Amino acid sequence: MSYIPLTPDLLRHWLSQHNALSQILGGTPPTWRIREVSNGNLNLVFLVDGLTGKLCCKQSLPHVRVAPEWPMPLERALYEARYMQTIAPYVQGLTPQLFYYDSDMFLLVMENLTPHEVLRSALIGDRAPEGFSSIIGRYVAQSVHGTSWISQPFEKGSQLLTEFSGNTALTRITVDLILTDPYRPCDRNPKPLPELEADIHFLQNDPAIHVSVNKLQHRFLTQKQSLLHGDLHTGSIMLHHSDVRVIDGEFALMGPIGFDCGLYLANLFIHALAVPHKAHFIQAEISAFWHSFASHLRELLKQSSRGDAWSLSLPSIDRQKLWDEFLHSILQDMAGFFGLELIRRTIGFAQVADYTLCPTPKAELVARKQAVLTGHTLIKQAKHLHTFDAFLNLLAPCFKAL
Ligand code: SR1
Ligand code: MG
């Protein structure tokens, strides 16, 4: 079949032509229950239930789903498939299984995660269990270590650069929406609450913040440390009790490790700003993420010796110093990208549903102002951070006020 955006009936026909997938579903095609459940910004998503099994089908559209006037190449599905295949050996069980990729239809067929729910919805509905962030910390450590120059010969890293450097359409979204638009007047930025206009004017006219944002742009584009998920927010994670899965790797690219960390933590933090009584819960998740990430990464570094970076053996004290410096630079990147994500989710094109939890317009304004102020502080202070506690201290004024 050549590319056509799917409907439930077209998908039923397509699935009926693919034996292995039809067998997973069981029964006959007319008995399959197919529901469109698209709710992200970009793609079509269908859930299919059969007699004996179920599937999830995700297809690229030739435009942004929520903004049909914004054209978007279809190849993002290919990069998502590649990302899933590349990291699967390192993150055992923390992603859905990919069953099939159709390069003509730009269609992924994968494990249907039920009764899992999207972490952002679970947080909003107050159903997220404690401790999920330790698992995300492990996921990030395993995926970035496995695809780094430290754990594998440089030829493999070069191959990853080749395989993912073409993901320019989605990287362009990140460059514009996260790293640029909030800091300049731009038609894509939605009209802000009037009370936020002064804060935004300041962000768009402060040379000191522009210097720091410029440096983060440069790090994002030049520090090809590992294969990143590239859009690791609470909408890119599904869970059911302790079964946590990372989904939606279509923004994958080689980049600075702190980018995945910063995006994830900023989205958690916004939830605490919107729902102040959950501040302690969120603060514990933020700490759990970092401690899990850092300890798993150290453990993996201890085991690895196959990379062309760090290939020479060192006395233990020098090796520890090398790891400390590595984690330290990840922490600084994490803080900077955390600040950028806080700001773009608050005043940029793709905002987050967590703010709808604020009980009054006044409460929402306070939450948004705190996000902008904290983002501003983090972007400027990131380079001066030496410990995770110092990072937490920059968030502390908000946590204390909540
Ligand atoms: C036009 S896409 C907007 C946002 O949605 C995705 O989930 C990414 O976060 C992107 O920045
Ligand atoms: Mg997504």
Side-chain angles (χ1 to χ4, degrees):
M1 211 188 242
S2 56
Y3 179 81
I4 178 170
L6 288 168
T7 61
D9 280 342
L10 286 169
L11 177 58
R12 189 184 308 281
H13 175 71
W14 183 91
L15 285 166
S16 72
Q17 306 296 298
H18 291 77
N19 260 341
L21 301 173
S22 299
Q23 272 172 20
I24 293 176
L25 292 169
T28 57
T31 64
W32 299 337
R33 178 168 172 249
I34 305 187
R35 285 167 294 148
E36 190 197 329
V37 294
S38 324
N39 73 353
N41 288 324
L42 294 172
N43 308 294
L44 290 176
V45 181
F46 299 89
L47 296 182
V48 187
D49 289 294
L51 196 64
T52 55
K54 49 200 169 73
L55 296 170
C56 172
C57 302
K58 176 175 177 182
Q59 188 189 32
S60 299
L61 284 168
H63 54 78
V64 174
R65 191 183 70 86
V66 296
E69 71 289 355
W70 185 348
M72 194 54 58
L74 296 162
E75 282 73 17
R76 57 190 182 272
L78 166 69
Y79 292 105
E80 180 164 347
R82 276 191 191 159
Y83 176 73
M84 290 176 87
Q85 285 158 347
T86 304
I87 60 154
Y90 309 118
V91 297
Q92 310 92 357
L94 296 182
T95 54
Q97 195 183 339
L98 178 65
F99 294 124
Y100 192 79
Y101 174 64
D102 183 326
S103 56
D104 296 321
M105 291 291 280
F106 298 94
L107 174 65
L108 298 139
V109 183
M110 57 193 139
E111 189 180 352
N112 174 334
L113 297 173
T114 315
H116 300 60
E117 75 175 319
V118 172
L119 172 58
R120 195 183 300 282
S121 312
L123 285 166
I124 288 173
D126 219 359
R127 293 181 294 273
E130 275 175 28
F132 55 85
S133 296
S134 307
I135 300 172
I136 301 302
R138 172 159 66 89
Y139 171 89
V140 177
Q142 290 172 332
S143 60
V144 300
H145 175 266
T147 57
S148 71
W149 307 90
I150 300 162
S151 69
Q152 54 181 358
F154 85 90
E155 289 86 350
K156 288 215 167 173
S158 300
Q159 192 185 327
L160 290 178
L161 286 176
T162 305
E163 285 175 0
F164 289 90
S165 63
N167 198 7
T168 51
L170 293 213
T171 303
R172 167 54 65 195
I173 292 180
T174 299
V175 167
D176 287 347
L177 266 49
I178 303 183
L179 296 150
T180 315
D181 287 356
Y183 309 94
R184 63 177 178 190
C186 169
D187 289 344
R188 256 191 311 249
N189 295 336
K191 194 168 165 41
L193 298 170
E195 298 88 338
L196 273 180
E197 275 170 13
D199 308 70
I200 294 172
H201 184 266
F202 185 64
L203 274 186
Q204 295 185 345
N205 291 281
D206 175 21
I209 196 154
H210 288 191
V211 169
S212 300
V213 174
N214 281 348
K215 289 182 180 170
L216 286 162
Q217 292 171 344
H218 193 253
R219 282 195 74 71
F220 176 75
L221 292 169
T222 62
Q223 301 302 299
K224 310 279 182 198
Q225 294 174 333
S226 284
L227 182 63
L228 308 184
H229 178 281
D231 192 30
L232 189 61
H233 56 84
T234 53
S236 298
I237 293 161
M238 295 186 74
L239 45 68
H240 176 61
H241 301 310
S242 60
D243 185 2
V244 179
R245 312 288 188 99
V246 175
I247 60 169
D248 274 8
E250 64 201 324
F251 282 78
L253 77 164
M254 292 292 280
I257 294 166
F259 187 79
D260 273 356
C261 305
L263 258 55
Y264 175 63
L265 294 188
N267 281 270
L268 281 185
F269 185 68
I270 289 177
H271 188 74
L273 294 178
V275 193
H277 73 266
K278 287 165 80 177
H280 289 297
F281 169 68
I282 294 295
Q283 191 174 11
E285 291 299 323
I286 289 176
S287 296
F289 169 85
W290 176 257
H291 293 306
S292 166
F293 167 75
S295 63
H296 280 101
L297 188 57
R298 279 182 193 279
E299 197 48 47
L300 289 162
L301 290 172
K302 225 186 261 177
Q303 293 161 13
S304 74
S305 55
R306 279 167 304 160
D308 285 302
W310 300 6
S311 66
L312 305 179
S313 37
L314 289 173
S316 165
I317 188 164
D318 295 317
R319 208 173 53 212
Q320 291 292 342
K321 195 160 169 257
L322 194 63
W323 297 349
D324 288 348
E325 282 171 8
F326 188 46
L327 275 158
H328 178 203
S329 84
I330 295 172
L331 175 83
Q332 292 185 343
D333 283 343
M334 175 178 93
F337 294 120
F338 178 107
L340 293 177
E341 177 73 355
L342 269 189
I343 287 176
R344 78 95 170 209
R345 291 297 192 189
T346 304
I347 64 169
F349 175 82
Q351 302 195 6
V352 287
D354 305 64
Y355 283 121
T356 62
L357 294 174
C358 296
T360 62
K362 171 89 194 310
E364 181 175 342
L365 181 64
V366 169
R368 285 181 186 268
K369 273 186 180 282
Q370 282 180 323
V372 173
L373 184 66
T374 311
H376 192 162
T377 308
L378 267 285
I379 290 167
K380 277 192 179 161
Q381 296 300 319
K383 276 314 254 178
H384 307 295
L385 290 175
H386 293 286
T387 62
F388 178 70
D389 284 346
F391 167 77
L392 272 189
N393 275 340
L394 292 181
L395 310 184
C398 289
F399 281 130
K400 279 193 198 118
L402 299 176

Short mmCIF file of all heavy atoms in Angstrom, two decimals, residues 6 83 101 121 152 154 167 175 203 224 266 303 360:
data_model
loop_
_atom_site.label_atom_id
_atom_site.label_comp_id
_atom_site.label_asym_id
_atom_site.label_seq_id
_atom_site.Cartn_x
_atom_site.Cartn_y
_atom_site.Cartn_z
N LEU A 6 -4.28 6.67 7.65
CA LEU A 6 -5.18 5.55 7.95
C LEU A 6 -6.47 6.00 8.62
O LEU A 6 -6.51 7.01 9.33
CB LEU A 6 -4.46 4.56 8.87
CG LEU A 6 -3.36 3.75 8.19
CD1 LEU A 6 -2.50 3.02 9.24
CD2 LEU A 6 -3.95 2.76 7.19
N TYR A 83 15.19 4.26 16.66
CA TYR A 83 15.53 4.50 18.07
C TYR A 83 15.16 3.28 18.91
O TYR A 83 15.95 2.79 19.71
CB TYR A 83 14.80 5.75 18.58
CG TYR A 83 15.03 6.02 20.06
CD1 TYR A 83 16.26 6.51 20.51
CD2 TYR A 83 14.04 5.76 21.00
CE1 TYR A 83 16.48 6.74 21.86
CE2 TYR A 83 14.25 5.99 22.36
CZ TYR A 83 15.48 6.49 22.78
OH TYR A 83 15.70 6.71 24.12
N TYR A 101 7.64 -2.37 11.12
CA TYR A 101 7.68 -1.00 10.62
C TYR A 101 7.44 -1.04 9.11
O TYR A 101 8.14 -1.76 8.39
CB TYR A 101 9.02 -0.32 10.93
CG TYR A 101 9.10 1.03 10.27
CD1 TYR A 101 8.22 2.04 10.64
CD2 TYR A 101 10.01 1.29 9.24
CE1 TYR A 101 8.23 3.27 10.00
CE2 TYR A 101 10.04 2.53 8.61
CZ TYR A 101 9.14 3.51 9.00
OH TYR A 101 9.14 4.72 8.36
N SER A 121 -1.00 11.89 32.49
CA SER A 121 -2.40 11.70 32.90
C SER A 121 -2.47 11.09 34.29
O SER A 121 -3.33 11.46 35.10
CB SER A 121 -3.14 10.78 31.93
OG SER A 121 -2.90 11.17 30.62
N GLN A 152 31.38 1.68 23.25
CA GLN A 152 31.43 0.96 21.97
C GLN A 152 32.49 1.57 21.06
O GLN A 152 32.83 2.76 21.20
CB GLN A 152 30.05 1.01 21.30
CG GLN A 152 29.53 2.41 21.14
CD GLN A 152 28.14 2.49 20.50
OE1 GLN A 152 27.54 1.50 20.13
NE2 GLN A 152 27.64 3.70 20.37
N PHE A 154 34.36 3.45 18.09
CA PHE A 154 33.89 4.71 17.49
C PHE A 154 33.16 4.48 16.17
O PHE A 154 32.31 5.28 15.77
CB PHE A 154 35.06 5.70 17.32
CG PHE A 154 35.84 5.50 16.04
CD1 PHE A 154 35.48 6.17 14.88
CD2 PHE A 154 36.93 4.63 16.01
CE1 PHE A 154 36.20 5.98 13.70
CE2 PHE A 154 37.64 4.43 14.83
CZ PHE A 154 37.27 5.11 13.68
N ASN A 167 17.41 13.28 11.04
CA ASN A 167 16.14 13.58 11.72
C ASN A 167 16.00 15.10 11.91
O ASN A 167 15.67 15.59 12.99
CB ASN A 167 16.09 12.85 13.07
CG ASN A 167 14.67 12.76 13.61
OD1 ASN A 167 13.71 13.13 12.92
ND2 ASN A 167 14.52 12.29 14.84
N VAL A 175 14.84 22.86 18.10
CA VAL A 175 15.66 24.07 18.02
C VAL A 175 14.76 25.31 18.10
O VAL A 175 15.05 26.27 18.82
CB VAL A 175 16.50 24.05 16.72
CG1 VAL A 175 17.12 25.41 16.44
CG2 VAL A 175 17.59 22.99 16.82
N LEU A 203 12.51 38.30 29.39
CA LEU A 203 13.22 37.14 28.80
C LEU A 203 13.70 37.45 27.38
O LEU A 203 14.74 36.99 26.94
CB LEU A 203 12.26 35.95 28.65
CG LEU A 203 12.03 35.01 29.79
CD1 LEU A 203 11.15 33.86 29.31
CD2 LEU A 203 13.34 34.46 30.33
N LYS A 224 27.62 15.63 20.64
CA LYS A 224 26.98 14.38 20.19
C LYS A 224 27.45 13.24 21.08
O LYS A 224 28.15 12.32 20.65
CB LYS A 224 27.35 14.10 18.73
CG LYS A 224 27.14 15.29 17.81
CD LYS A 224 25.69 15.39 17.41
CE LYS A 224 25.42 16.53 16.46
NZ LYS A 224 24.02 16.87 16.42
N ALA A 266 12.10 18.81 34.31
CA ALA A 266 11.33 20.06 34.22
C ALA A 266 9.83 19.78 34.15
O ALA A 266 9.02 20.49 34.75
CB ALA A 266 11.77 20.85 32.99
N GLN A 303 31.87 -1.24 34.35
CA GLN A 303 31.91 -2.50 33.59
C GLN A 303 32.49 -2.33 32.19
O GLN A 303 32.98 -3.27 31.60
CB GLN A 303 30.49 -3.05 33.40
CG GLN A 303 29.86 -3.50 34.70
CD GLN A 303 28.34 -3.59 34.56
OE1 GLN A 303 27.80 -3.55 33.45
NE2 GLN A 303 27.66 -3.69 35.68
N THR A 360 -7.47 28.23 40.57
CA THR A 360 -7.98 29.56 40.21
C THR A 360 -7.03 30.19 39.19
O THR A 360 -5.86 29.81 39.11
CB THR A 360 -8.02 30.49 41.45
OG1 THR A 360 -6.65 30.65 41.91
CG2 THR A 360 -8.89 29.94 42.56
#
